């Protein structure tokens, strides 16, 4: 890997690697932000003097805890869980919880670090944090999920609060898990504190549009970006990886705007449906029956399923990775470009490797980085917090319009910032710089804390 061009930033990066050994994803996320910050340090010398970057790279607080629970056979199981409260310069820590066997401290730190800048870009008063566990929800019964969530919250509750830290969902954590977590928080604290978690059910303090928000927001962002390039989503062939929360509502919104999604996936393989993915069927399989994407073929006989296949082999004009980190490599990016891909929007967090990002930028592919393009979920979580604080609930259309405004504004901010810092069209720089400056200015204003 080449060194960062700015020696000061290179030495900060090396120190981060040294102090956080073995946390490859965290190193990758830090490096990607630092690569954008040279001109910012030159323009704002106080950020260097106050050691803002070094402070931002060190979480304010990290909690690691044991989660013991009993499975349906009465067997005792033990998982490890994390909450990293990364930065609260702009508001209470805010960021999801991930339940997946791959979770370890380095994944949670990369996600928490990204979250700081993403949350800043929304313009809402929220800091950055992230949490989760190496618990694997796949194949677990409802009761097992509930017992795990209750045990998880029995430790975590003491670090949460509507003015302290407000988790939401992420991979493996959806409405069902948030319900169990909220129930246990309420029971332990004897407080009906709606604003302590977001992504709640509509019957007990949730917000309309939160479920759809990350996917819809991604497509609003892409639509604005394509407009800037005199294009629209309408009529475009799209590929969406994943088939979870973000993927499903990305597919739905692309279809509403006249685009055609021809493929989606899960961790076992992908389905290719030339006639266009039947999103209601995917919802039924994934949200209701919790089955594998392979079962799509039982209903849609003309579709094709490729076990273990690489979804980026399918030609498309717009690629929307919505599964997980580093799922789209440099080789995949080159293949997408060769097949005529003109735009990529990251629904997942850090789905493109650094090599892939370089290929996209070098070939003038419109590239919407995760911190900007998938901020719709957390932005709508902040809208849920607003509704909770005012004991109000808004209509679907009102909330959706607010989400759309936020996403189109984020695009304009990153576009203008990229231009202002001499890299027009490079929204990676635009997002990193705009998010960083907002946090850094608040940190300078608050003194050495
Ligand atoms: P879900 O758990 O609902 O869905 C995840 C999807 O990605 C599933 O289809 C899953 O397949 C697939 N997937 C997960 N891990 C892997 C893997 N290692 N390899 C291949 N496929 C994988 O999660 P979400 O949709 O909520 O999250 C998806 C991405 O979006 C994550 O990167 C998350 O951080 C990001 N994100 C989510 C937000 C939200 O509001 N939910 C907000 C912003 C970003 P399988 O079922 O086989 O595991």
């Amino acid at each position: 890997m080449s060194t960062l061009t700015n020696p000061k930033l290179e030495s900060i990066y090396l120190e981060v690697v040294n102090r956080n050994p073995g946390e490859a994803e965290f190193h990758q996320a830090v490096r990607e932000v630092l690569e954008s910050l040279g001109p910012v340090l030159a323009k704002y010398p106080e950020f260097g003097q106050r050691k803002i970057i070094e402070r931002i790279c060190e979480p304010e607080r990290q909690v690691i805890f044991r989660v013991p629970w009993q499975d349906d056979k009465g067997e005792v199981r033990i998982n490890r869980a994390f909450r990293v409260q990364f930065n609260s310069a702009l508001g209470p820590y805010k960021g999801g919880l991930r339940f997946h066997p791959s979770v370890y401290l380095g994944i949670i730190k990369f996600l928490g670090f990204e979250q700081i800048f993403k949350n800043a870009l929304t313009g809402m008063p929220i800091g950055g944090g992230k949490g989760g566990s190496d618990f694997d929800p796949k194949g677990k019964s409802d009761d097992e999920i509930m017992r795990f969530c209750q045990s998880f919250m029995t430790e975590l509750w003491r670090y949460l609060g509507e003015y302290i830290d407000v988790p939401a969902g992420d991979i493996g954590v959806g409405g069902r898990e948030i319900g169990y977590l909220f129930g246990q928080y309420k029971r332990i604290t004897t407080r009906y504190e709606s604003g302590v978690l977001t992504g709640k059910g509509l019957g007990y303090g949730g917000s309309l549009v939160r479920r759809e928000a990350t996917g819809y927001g991604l497509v609003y962002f892409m639509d604005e970006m394509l407009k800037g390039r005199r294009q629209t989503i309408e009529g475009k062939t799209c590929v969406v990886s994943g088939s979870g929360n973000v993927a499903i509502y990305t597919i739905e919104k692309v279809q509403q705007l006249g685009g055609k999604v021809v493929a989606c996936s899960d961790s076992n393989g992908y389905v290719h449906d030339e006639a266009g993915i039947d999103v209601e069927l995917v919802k039924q399989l994934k949200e209701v029956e919790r089955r594998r994407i392979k079962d799509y073929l039982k209903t849609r006989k003309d579709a094709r399923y490729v076990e273990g296949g690489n979804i980026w082999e399918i030609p498309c004009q717009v690629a929307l990775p919505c599964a997980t980190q580093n799922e789209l490599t440099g080789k995949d990016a080159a293949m997408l470009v060769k097949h005529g891909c003109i735009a990529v929007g990251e629904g997942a967090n850090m789905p493109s490797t650094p090599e892939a990002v370089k290929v996209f930028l070098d070939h003038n592919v419109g590239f919407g980085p995760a911190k900007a393009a998938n901020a719709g979920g957390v932005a709508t979580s902040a809208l849920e917090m607003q509704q909770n604080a005012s004991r109000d609930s808004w209509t679907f259309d009102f909330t959706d319009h607010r989400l759309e405004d936020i996403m189109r504004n984020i695009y304009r901010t990153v576009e203008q910032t990229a231009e202002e810092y001499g890299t027009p069209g490079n929204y990676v720089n635009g997002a990193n710089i705009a998010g960083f400056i907002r946090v850094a200015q608040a940190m300078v204003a608050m003194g050495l804390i």
Side-chain angles (χ1 to χ4, degrees), residues 96-102 110-111 115 118 130 136-138 168-174 210-215 241-248 264-269 286 291-293 321-325 327 346-351 370 373-378 381:
L97 298 170
R98 177 176 291 191
F99 293 169
H100 193 272
S102 64
F110 118 64
L111 291 164
Q115 197 82 44
K118 176 188 313 195
K130 199 85 188 188
D136 186 359
K138 268 193 212 109
D170 190 82
I171 291 177
V173 178
R210 177 59 190 88
R211 185 183 52 175
E212 294 84 356
T214 308
S241 63
S243 51
N245 172 267
V246 179
I248 287 174
C264 66
S265 60
D266 62 20
S267 55
N268 293 112
K286 289 292 179 178
R291 282 160 58 190
R292 308 305 298 158
I293 201 66
C322 294
T324 195
Q325 63 277 352
E327 56 162 309
E346 295 191 317
N349 284 310
M350 208 167 74
N374 75 21
V378 75
S381 276

Side-chain angles (χ1 to χ4, degrees), residues 24 50 54 89 114 159 168 198-199 211 242 250 262 284 301 368:
R50 307 306 295 164
E54 292 89 328
E114 291 261 304
Y159 306 103
T198 58
R211 185 183 52 175
T250 297
V262 294
Q284 179 65 26
K301 308 277 183 221

Side-chain angles (χ1 to χ4, degrees), residues 73-305:
K73 295 192 188 106
E75 193 83 27
V76 172
R77 307 271 204 114
I78 296 123
N79 285 96
R80 184 175 295 170
F82 309 85
R83 185 73 184 167
V84 175
Q85 299 181 331
F86 228 116
N87 193 293
S88 60
L90 296 179
Y93 309 104
K94 183 90 199 84
L97 298 170
R98 177 176 291 191
F99 293 169
H100 193 272
S102 64
V103 164
Y104 77 107
L105 188 57
I107 296 264
I108 301 300
K109 273 159 78 176
F110 118 64
L111 291 164
F113 184 75
E114 291 261 304
Q115 197 82 44
I116 304 169
F117 308 105
K118 176 188 313 195
N119 293 4
L121 282 172
T122 67
M124 326 280 282
I126 40 180
K130 199 85 188 188
S133 171
D134 58 4
F135 172 72
D136 186 359
K138 268 193 212 109
K140 303 289 187 299
S141 70
D142 255 9
D143 282 350
E144 288 175 328
I145 299 278
M146 182 181 73
R147 287 196 292 272
F148 177 81
C149 288
Q150 289 179 339
S151 182
F152 181 89
M153 189 52 96
T154 300
E155 177 62 26
L156 190 65
W157 73 273
R158 64 191 90 243
Y159 306 103
L160 306 183
E162 70 175 302
Y163 297 108
I164 303 169
D165 185 352
V166 184
D170 190 82
I171 291 177
V173 178
R176 172 181 61 168
E177 292 74 19
I178 294 290
Y180 295 144
L181 292 165
F182 183 72
Q184 187 72 352
Y185 183 86
K186 184 175 82 59
R187 183 182 187 194
I188 292 176
T189 60
T190 70
R191 284 169 63 86
Y192 204 107
E193 195 181 324
S194 302
V196 73
L197 285 164
T198 58
K200 298 181 294 294
L202 296 176
Y204 63 95
S207 172
L208 286 162
V209 191
R210 177 59 190 88
R211 185 183 52 175
E212 294 84 356
T214 308
Y216 279 21
L218 169 65
V219 182
Y220 294 140
F221 181 96
M222 293 304 285
D223 190 56
E224 194 67 24
M225 179 169 89
L226 285 167
K227 259 195 212 154
R229 296 174 171 238
R230 295 187 220 312
Q231 299 267 2
T232 62
I233 293 262
E234 199 179 343
K236 298 281 181 305
T237 300
C238 308
V239 166
V240 176
S241 63
S243 51
N245 172 267
V246 179
I248 287 174
Y249 293 96
T250 297
I251 299 171
E252 183 166 281
K253 185 51 77 177
V254 166
Q255 292 177 344
Q256 285 173 10
L257 297 189
K260 185 175 180 191
V261 179
V262 294
C264 66
S265 60
D266 62 20
S267 55
N268 293 112
Y270 70 76
V271 288
H272 184 190
D273 187 345
E274 300 259 24
I277 291 289
D278 179 345
V279 72
E280 292 308 320
L281 175 58
V282 178
K283 281 187 198 174
Q284 179 65 26
L285 289 173
K286 289 292 179 178
E287 292 183 337
V288 182
E289 298 171 21
R290 298 181 191 276
R291 282 160 58 190
R292 308 305 298 158
I293 201 66
K294 182 180 175 176
D295 294 335
Y296 184 91
L297 263 64
K298 290 191 178 143
T299 310
R300 299 276 284 196
K301 308 277 183 221
D302 291 338
R304 181 165 78 87
Y305 173 71

